């Protein structure tokens, strides 16, 4: 089937099989391998992307269903080499180790902050319940999102807990 | 200058922009796709395999079978596994290759133009099996009625002993005795990146495998052995690695992908081959933390001095040894805890079954050992009416203490200071936020909530033990004219996510005495880096740091001699170790240790059995924190992984078959499940042989967590548990048996 999608601002016309999953389309057809696959059961969130601004697990979304949509993947967040505030937060607050969950975490966080610019810690945790991380213990991921939220609101990001104790 | 500062990880930018490349990330039309076929039979003899139906599937290019593996044997410490099970073995192996002893024994690799064609080819293979009786678990194995490896003569194929002092004299002196039988579960690594590899011939025609592993040179060695090629004809490279935790120490795709490339090359096909495992293949297809059963009986005087301990421990090795003999050694060493117990008998066995192999996983036997030792200690504290921390102070090992192996611990014992640091921090009240997510879908009824506190401590070796020829190589190049303008470090050490490469670069800058920006590095490629040893046993910072120091000294010497660039190569060899004496367990088995203590506070809902961990204090001696934020990252990550081990992760293995190989069924902690408040207390008590005093630390915070949680649940409810994970159903059943819940 012919589909036409805009991914990270570029329009693509492609022929895909109806059963092609969006994640495979992004990775194999467009070479956007920043979107990862961590499970077979729509559980881990490593494949999260934005479809028309909403966060979607691209392993359970058919490429044909994205026909006409605007898609943003992790590769599309930085503008002119400048990191998106959420990317900066994960960088600045050590919100990653192996990094395999990171693109999905970042995309879910971007979607959260677009909807709710001032989330509480509980709201951040709730929004990221569909994203698993095996390495970080999540603590620094929460700090990363808080950092990004402040940045996006034009405020000074809160000090990390280690900065508070003066380390 | 470059140490003790928390620079951001070197790979952070690539990882937040999606630019980082993991092994499965190579795409393109030139790729061929491989599927590795599992036997699907825990115990069966292959009668025949016909590959012709697979070749009949459109798109199938090649099928690799046992006959393509010249030396069809694999094993990190014992060659007891065929690389591929099949009837066409070459006969050049120490293990019979026609028997599947595990459901994920590999039998073939199907290579095709598309992943779909490869999968269809795999299904089309026509295999005839004769099923053999299955040794499902430890109980069945211990009868020796059916042998998993008949050539071993028994399923109990490895046995360690400790005979220290006189247990009889100890029992005579004991006023109080506690006894328990502990059941330890399997644990799945669940690194978020399932196994994947791309294999090809490089420009020098070397068979090259790009994969996520833990030790490039050992991977190369194992491939070379099985393919009967000189190691120089093989190249192993690690791109970004999506977590490991011990689960990538044994081979998954390394050998078979290399074999596929070789077979294709013989036909003149030079295309790269990619294989990506599904999550299900990953969980079924690699080893686990060992399950086991341990019986322990300890005695103490009324004054709180532990005078005797006797322990019998069994670990389920599964179908193949993997690293069981070594993991068992660590359990053996740690099962009496960091205490100086004068009279000690320990017998531990590794036992073959047809279940998934047990192997390396963060802590490597020490979590099982500590679970037993710390539960025993906490139960003794209750029986004696002595505060658990105080009881530890009365028995803890000190500098110069003689350990279970009847020789003094290596210098730098800091267990007492670590216990104090933890206890002190835990006494400081903090405002712990209420659980962010309610226990269940409904808010809890306050009257059913019970709160409690628990404590545990532990020790574990840094580096390989028991006489292993431990070593680590580094190369440092100094470029420039009058001053060093650029430093290039070559190191194979695997950055599995812990941030090792960032720490190595910091250490190289410090060793040479240049600002960090001048240090570049070449990583993890057998073609251009020396043997680093494995990213395991909390050894990399320690070993690589010493190797970097040596290489820097060597390079500086050449620099002074006028070499430009000045190149220093160094192979660090730590103090030698020795194996356990087979009869007494005596021996100088390790050269360094890490020490850790944890205090936890929990809330238990006695109506539902849910346990919420409200606060964790973890004190860990890292010797010298090279990058404090990375150290804290290891604390947070290890605690959450241990939280899963203690409370949520239940692998169902029935009839030697894994029944829940999915993340939707095997529940690793999500962001809503984790402890609400974690405090990392970094102790810096230098290790006398560590680089700048650094010790390894990445495993330590995992180790005492489960027994600390058990103690806190007991404090809250008065009920002891001797089996984990403490899922709500298990907690509720225990509370009911004790009459605490209805
Ligand atoms: S890959 Fe795991 S949710 Fe999509
Ligand atoms: S950083 Fe490894 S899974 Fe999150």
């Amino acid at each position: 089937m012919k589909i036409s999608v805009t991914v990270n601002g570029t329009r693509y016309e492609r022929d895909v099989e109806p059963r092609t999953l969006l994640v495979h389309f992004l990775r194999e057809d467009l070479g956007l391998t920043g979107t990862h696959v961590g499970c077979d059961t729509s559980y881990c969130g490593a494949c999260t992307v934005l479809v028309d601004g909403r966060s979607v697990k691209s392993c359970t979304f058919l490429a044909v269903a994205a026909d006409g949509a605007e898609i943003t993947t992790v590769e599309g967040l930085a503008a002119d080499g400048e990191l998106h505030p959420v990317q900066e937060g994960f960088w600045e607050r050590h919100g990653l180790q192996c990094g395999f969950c990171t693109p999905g975490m970042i995309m879910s966080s971007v979607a959260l902050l677009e909807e709710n610019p001032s989330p509480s810690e509980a709201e951040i945790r709730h929004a990221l319940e569909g994203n698993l991380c095996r390495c970080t213990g999540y603590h620094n991921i929460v700090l990363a999102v808080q950092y990004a939220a402040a940045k996006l609101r034009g405020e000074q990001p809160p000090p990390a807990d280690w900065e508070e104790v003066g380390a | 200058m470059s140490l003790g500062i928390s620079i951001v990880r070197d790979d952070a930018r690539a990882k937040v922009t999606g630019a980082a490349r993991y092994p499965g990330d190579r795409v393109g039309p030139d790729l061929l796709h491989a599927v590795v076929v599992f036997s699907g039979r825990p115990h069966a003899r292959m009668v025949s395999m016909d590959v012709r139906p697979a070749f009949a599937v459109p798109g199938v290019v090649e099928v690799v079978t046992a006959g393509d593996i010249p030396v069809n044997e694999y094993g990190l410490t014992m060659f007891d596994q065929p690389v591929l099970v099949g009837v066409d073995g070459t006969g050049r192996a120490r293990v019979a290759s026609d028997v599947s002893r595990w459901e994920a024994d590999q039998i073939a690799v199907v290579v095709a133009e598309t992943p779909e064609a490869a999968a269809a080819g795999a299904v089309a293979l026509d295999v005839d099996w004769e099923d053999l009786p299955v040794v499902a678990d430890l109980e069945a194995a211990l009868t020796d009625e059916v042998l998993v490896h008949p050539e071993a003569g028994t399923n109990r194929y490895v046995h360690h002993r400790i005979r220290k002092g006189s247990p009889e004299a100890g029992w005579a002196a004991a006023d109080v005795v506690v006894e328990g039988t502990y059941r330890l579960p399997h644990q799945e690594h669940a690194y978020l990146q399932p196994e994947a590899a791309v294999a090809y011939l490089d420009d020098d025609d070397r068979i090259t495998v790009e994969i996520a592993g833990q030790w490039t040179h050992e991977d190369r060695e194992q491939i070379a052995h099985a393919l009967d090629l000189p190691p120089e004809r093989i190249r192993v490279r690690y791109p970004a690695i999506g977590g490991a935790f011990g689960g990538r120490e044994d081979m998954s795709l390394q050998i078979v992908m290399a074999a596929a490339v070789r077979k294709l090359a013989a036909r003149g096909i030079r295309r790269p081959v990619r294989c990506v495992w599904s999550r299900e293949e990953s969980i079924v297809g690699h080893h686990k933390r060992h399950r086991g059963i341990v019986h322990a009986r300890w005695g103490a005087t009324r004054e709180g001095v532990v005078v005797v301990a006797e322990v019998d421990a069994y670990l389920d090795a599964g179908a193949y040894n993997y690293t069981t003999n070594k993991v068992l050694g660590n359990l053996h060493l740690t099962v009496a805890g960091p205490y100086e117990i004068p009279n000690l008998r320990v017998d531990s066995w590794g036992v073959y079954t047809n279940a998934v192999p047990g192997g390396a996983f963060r802590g490597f036997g020490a979590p099982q050992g500590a679970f037993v030792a710390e539960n025993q200690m906490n139960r003794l504290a209750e029986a004696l009416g002595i505060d658990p921390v105080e009881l530890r102070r009365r028995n803890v090992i000190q500098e110069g203490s003689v350990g279970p192996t009847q020789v003094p611990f290596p210098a730098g014992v800091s267990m007492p200071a670590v216990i104090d640091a933890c206890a002190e921090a835990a006494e400081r009240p903090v405002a712990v936020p209420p659980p962010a997510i309610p226990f269940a879908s409904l808010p809890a009824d306050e009257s059913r909530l019970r709160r409690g506190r628990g404590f545990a401590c532990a020790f574990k070796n840094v580096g390989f033990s028991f006489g292993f020829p431990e070593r680590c190589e580094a190369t440092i190049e100094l470029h420039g004219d009058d001053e060093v303008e650029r430093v290039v470090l070559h190191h194979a050490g695997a950055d599995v996510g812990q941030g090792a490469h960032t720490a190595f670069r910091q250490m190289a800058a410090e060793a040479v005495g240049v600002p960090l920006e001048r240090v570049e590095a070449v990583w993890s490629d057998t073609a251009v880096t020396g043997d680093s040893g494995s990213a395991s046993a909390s050894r990399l910072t320690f070993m690589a740091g010493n190797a970097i120091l040596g290489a820097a000294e060597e390079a500086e010497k050449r620099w002074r001699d006028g070499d430009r660039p000045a190149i220093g190569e160094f192979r660090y060899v730590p103090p030698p170790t020795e194996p356990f004496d087979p009869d007494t367990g005596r021996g100088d088995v390790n050269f360094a240790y890490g020490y850790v203590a944890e205090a936890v506070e929990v809330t238990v809902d006695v109506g539902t059995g849910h346990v919420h961990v409200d606060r964790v204090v973890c004190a860990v001696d890292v010797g010298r924190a090279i990058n404090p934020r990375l150290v804290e990252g290891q604390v947070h990550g290890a605690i959450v992984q241990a939280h899963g081990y203690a409370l949520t992760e239940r692998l169902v293995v029935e009839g030697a078959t894994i029944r829940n190989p999915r993340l939707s069924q095997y529940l690793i902690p999500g962001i809503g499940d984790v402890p609400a408040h974690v405090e990392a207390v970094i102790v810096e008590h230098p290790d006398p042989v560590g680089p700048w005093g650094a010790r390894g630390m990445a495993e330590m915070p995992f180790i005492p967590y489960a027994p600390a949680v058990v103690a806190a649940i007991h404090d809250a409810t008065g009920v002891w548990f001797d089996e984990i994970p403490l899922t709500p159903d298990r907690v509720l059943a225990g509370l009911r048996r004790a009459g605490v819940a209805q």
Side-chain angles (χ1 to χ4, degrees):
Chain A
M1 279 174 77
K2 266 222 155 11
I3 60 167
S4 150
V5 291
T6 305
V7 182
N8 301 332
T10 307
R11 218 177 125 102
Y12 297 91
E13 312 263 346
R14 284 285 195 284
D15 228 349
V16 298
E17 286 189 50
R19 63 186 171 80
T20 304
L21 297 171
L22 179 57
V23 68
H24 290 138
F25 174 72
L26 292 170
R27 289 178 55 86
E28 307 291 332
D29 292 17
L30 304 188
L32 294 170
T33 54
T35 302
H36 298 152
V37 178
C39 72
D40 329 314
T41 46
S42 194
Y43 209 75
C44 75
C47 61
T48 307
V49 299
L50 303 185
V51 176
D52 290 332
R54 289 187 40 233
S55 69
V56 159
K57 289 184 173 175
S58 62
C59 71
T60 31
F61 199 90
L62 293 171
V64 292
D67 188 23
E70 292 239 3
I71 295 166
T72 310
T73 71
V74 70
E75 290 95 340
L77 287 181
D80 306 323
E82 182 111 348
L83 294 182
H84 183 283
V86 174
Q87 292 174 309
E88 193 185 316
F90 275 77
W91 188 82
E92 194 60 53
R93 288 291 181 256
H94 292 258
L96 62 90
Q97 287 181 24
C98 83
F100 201 75
C101 70
T102 310
M105 286 284 179
I106 288 178
M107 298 317 289
S108 292
S109 305
V110 169
L112 162 72
L113 297 179
E114 252 155 46
E115 218 168 88
N116 178 358
S118 304
S120 66
E121 178 175 342
E123 284 169 334
I124 292 171
R125 288 188 183 263
H126 187 65
L128 296 179
E129 271 183 319
N131 291 80
L132 293 176
C133 175
R134 190 54 155 172
C135 302
T136 62
Y138 303 104
H139 177 74
N140 290 351
I141 290 177
V142 174
L143 298 182
V145 179
Q146 287 170 336
Y147 176 101
K151 263 273 173 126
L152 282 164
R153 292 193 304 263
E155 296 163 15
Q156 180 69 22
D161 45 3
W162 57 79
E163 293 172 345
E164 278 167 356
V165 296
Chain B
M1 189 162 59
S2 301
L3 298 190
I5 56 170
S6 296
I7 60 161
V8 169
R9 328 166 39 102
D10 294 338
D11 55 2
R13 190 172 175 98
K15 286 177 174 175
V16 300
T17 56
R21 288 283 168 270
Y22 297 83
D25 286 347
R26 171 133 179 202
V27 299
D30 62 328
L31 280 181
L32 288 170
H33 300 268
V35 163
V36 174
V37 187
F38 295 165
S39 74
R41 314 240 163 186
H43 204 190
R45 183 179 310 281
M46 189 186 285
V47 179
S48 66
M49 171 156 65
D50 187 355
V51 299
R52 284 168 302 182
F55 278 107
V57 173
V60 169
V61 174
E62 191 52 271
V63 180
V64 179
T65 64
D68 299 312
I69 314 293
V71 183
N72 193 7
E73 58 182 17
Y74 161 69
L76 287 182
T77 62
M78 293 160 61
F79 290 108
D80 64 348
Q81 178 175 16
V83 174
L84 287 173
V85 169
V87 285
D88 56 341
T90 60
R92 289 174 60 200
R94 275 158 272 198
V95 58
S97 66
D98 62 339
V99 178
S100 168
R101 301 169 186 85
W102 167 34
E103 62 171 322
D105 258 323
Q106 303 181 358
I107 63 169
V109 184
V110 179
V111 181
E113 292 290 343
T114 63
E116 293 77 13
V123 173
L125 286 175
D126 190 2
V127 191
D128 253 347
W129 294 98
E130 174 200 337
D131 279 318
L132 301 170
V134 171
V135 183
D137 49 31
L138 277 172
E139 279 86 351
L142 289 172
T143 66
D144 268 348
E145 262 164 43
V146 176
L147 297 181
V148 179
H149 290 266
E151 69 282 5
T154 170
N155 290 324
R156 298 185 199 203
Y157 71 104
V158 42
H159 180 194
H160 298 311
R161 299 174 183 81
I162 286 174
R163 303 287 183 269
K164 179 188 178 192
S166 154
E168 294 74 50
W171 293 122
D175 300 310
V176 173
V177 174
V178 294
E179 190 161 4
T181 299
Y182 301 94
R183 285 169 187 276
L184 285 314
H186 280 124
Q187 188 182 20
E188 154 62 27
H189 305 81
Y191 27 71
L192 218 61
Q193 179 232 322
E195 286 78 352
V198 177
Y200 54 90
L201 293 174
D202 76 356
D203 294 341
D204 293 324
D205 263 354
R206 280 176 293 213
I207 297 177
T208 304
V209 181
E210 286 183 11
I211 192 161
Q214 296 182 218
W215 183 356
T216 47
H217 288 68
E218 178 65 22
D219 288 3
R220 181 176 72 163
E221 198 58 43
Q222 292 286 344
I223 296 168
H225 177 79
L227 298 191
D228 200 16
L229 288 172
E232 312 80 68
R233 300 310 309 150
I234 313 285
R235 179 177 183 185
V236 175
R237 313 174 62 174
Y238 295 163
I241 297 170
F245 316 114
R248 302 195 201 268
E249 194 156 83
D250 277 270
M251 301 305 107
S252 53
L253 291 165
Q254 285 86 335
I255 302 173
V256 292
M257 289 293 282
V261 166
R262 179 195 225 191
K263 191 168 189 185
L264 290 164
R267 284 175 50 193
I269 301 174
R270 298 180 59 94
R271 293 163 65 187
V273 186
R274 185 180 83 182
C275 181
V276 180
W277 274 3
S278 67
R279 176 58 61 183
E280 192 169 333
E281 286 170 308
S282 173
I283 294 183
V284 173
H286 75 254
H287 68 267
K288 305 289 170 259
R289 187 186 300 288
H290 289 81
R291 63 177 170 186
I293 300 174
V294 183
H295 183 80
R297 189 161 180 260
W298 291 26
T301 64
R302 224 169 276 113
E303 294 72 36
V305 176
V306 182
V307 287
V308 60
E310 294 202 62
V311 181
D312 294 279
Y314 302 88
L315 285 186
D316 181 350
Y320 300 105
N321 179 63
Y322 279 49
T323 47
T324 293
N325 47 351
K326 309 288 180 183
V327 174
L328 185 75
N330 258 15
L331 170 135
H332 193 65
L333 181 68
T334 55
V335 76
Y339 310 111
E340 194 161 358
I341 304 177
N343 305 298
L344 187 59
R345 177 192 66 79
V346 183
D347 284 276
S348 28
W349 286 271
V351 186
Y352 280 134
T353 69
N354 290 120
V356 56
F361 194 155
R362 197 179 217 160
F364 206 76
Q368 292 96 326
F371 189 77
V372 174
E374 296 304 287
N375 268 304
Q376 286 291 105
M377 207 62 177
N378 285 325
R379 291 180 190 199
L380 265 180
E382 185 199 27
L384 290 160
I386 298 177
D387 175 80
V389 175
E390 176 53 30
L391 181 63
R392 285 175 170 84
R393 289 189 178 119
R394 292 185 196 172
N395 294 279
V396 68
I397 52 172
Q398 323 263 351
E399 197 70 274
S401 283
V402 172
T405 65
Q406 304 133 64
V407 297
F409 273 86
V413 175
S414 61
M415 194 75 257
V418 170
I419 289 173
D420 288 346
C422 181
E424 224 172 80
E427 285 310 319
R428 279 197 294 274
V430 295
V432 171
I437 311 287
F439 288 99
S441 46
L442 294 174
D445 168 357
E446 266 293 324
S447 70
R448 292 189 327 224
L449 302 184
R450 307 277 185 278
R451 297 198 161 78
R453 307 199 304 166
F455 190 90
C457 58
F459 71 115
K460 188 196 169 282
N461 60 297
V462 173
F464 285 169
S465 322
F466 311 132
F468 184 86
E470 183 59 304
R471 76 279 180 174
C472 185
E473 297 172 3
T475 302
I476 283 186
E477 299 167 8
L478 305 179
H479 297 261
D481 273 328
D482 298 339
E483 65 163 331
V484 178
E485 286 156 17
R486 198 161 66 90
V487 177
V488 184
L489 166 68
H490 293 248
H491 207 282
D495 195 324
V496 292
Q498 80 283 49
H501 291 173
T502 307
F504 293 177
R505 223 167 51 81
Q506 287 181 259
M507 293 192 291
E510 183 78 11
V512 180
V514 295
L516 256 172
E517 311 77 70
R518 293 199 200 157
V519 182
E520 299 164 14
V522 177
W523 304 122
S524 306
D525 180 343
T526 56
V528 287
T529 56
D531 188 357
S532 62
S534 181
S536 56
S538 299
R539 65 183 283 289
L540 260 190
T541 304
F542 185 104
M543 296 292 296
N546 278 319
I548 287 167
L549 274 170
E553 201 182 303
E554 189 63 34
E556 278 161 1
K557 194 152 57 187
R558 288 166 191 265
W559 177 271
R560 283 193 301 274
D561 293 346
D563 283 15
R564 297 292 182 275
I567 299 176
E569 288 179 17
F570 190 75
R571 182 186 178 100
Y572 172 67
V573 177
T577 62
E578 43 189 40
F580 295 123
D581 177 275
D583 297 321
T584 64
R586 191 187 160 86
D588 211 343
V589 293
N590 284 304
F591 56 83
Y593 285 98
Y595 300 95
V596 59
E598 281 170 10
V600 304
E601 298 176 19
V602 303
T603 303
V604 183
D605 185 331
V606 298
T608 65
H610 282 82
V611 176
H612 190 275
V613 178
D614 302 311
R615 182 183 180 199
V616 183
V617 176
C618 171
V620 55
D621 183 4
V622 307
R624 175 80 192 269
I626 306 296
N627 182 318
R629 295 294 85 76
L630 291 180
V631 166
E632 285 176 11
Q634 290 304 300
V635 174
H636 282 278
I639 283 173
V640 165
Q641 210 167 46
H643 186 81
Y645 185 52
L647 293 167
T648 70
E649 295 177 26
R650 185 186 249 167
L651 192 74
V652 182
V653 185
E654 288 167 354
T657 302
I658 295 176
R659 303 291 183 189
N660 57 340
R662 282 169 276 272
L663 293 180
S664 54
Q665 301 166 318
Y666 177 82
L667 302 179
I668 67 172
I671 196 167
D673 306 319
V674 302
H677 185 92
V678 176
E679 283 160 73
V681 179
I682 307 299
V683 179
E684 293 186 303
H685 181 105
D687 185 288
V689 284
W692 298 278
R695 300 168 189 262
M697 59 75 57
E699 297 167 290
M700 311 309 160
F702 186 102
I703 301 169
Y705 187 81
V709 167
V710 168
I713 294 173
H714 172 264
D715 188 41
T717 64
V719 181
W720 286 115
F721 288 87
D722 46 23
E723 185 172 9
I724 49 174
L726 287 166
T727 49
D729 56 322
R730 187 172 275 160
V731 172
L732 196 57
L735 295 178
R736 283 188 177 138
R737 266 196 309 277
V740 178
Q742 280 153 16

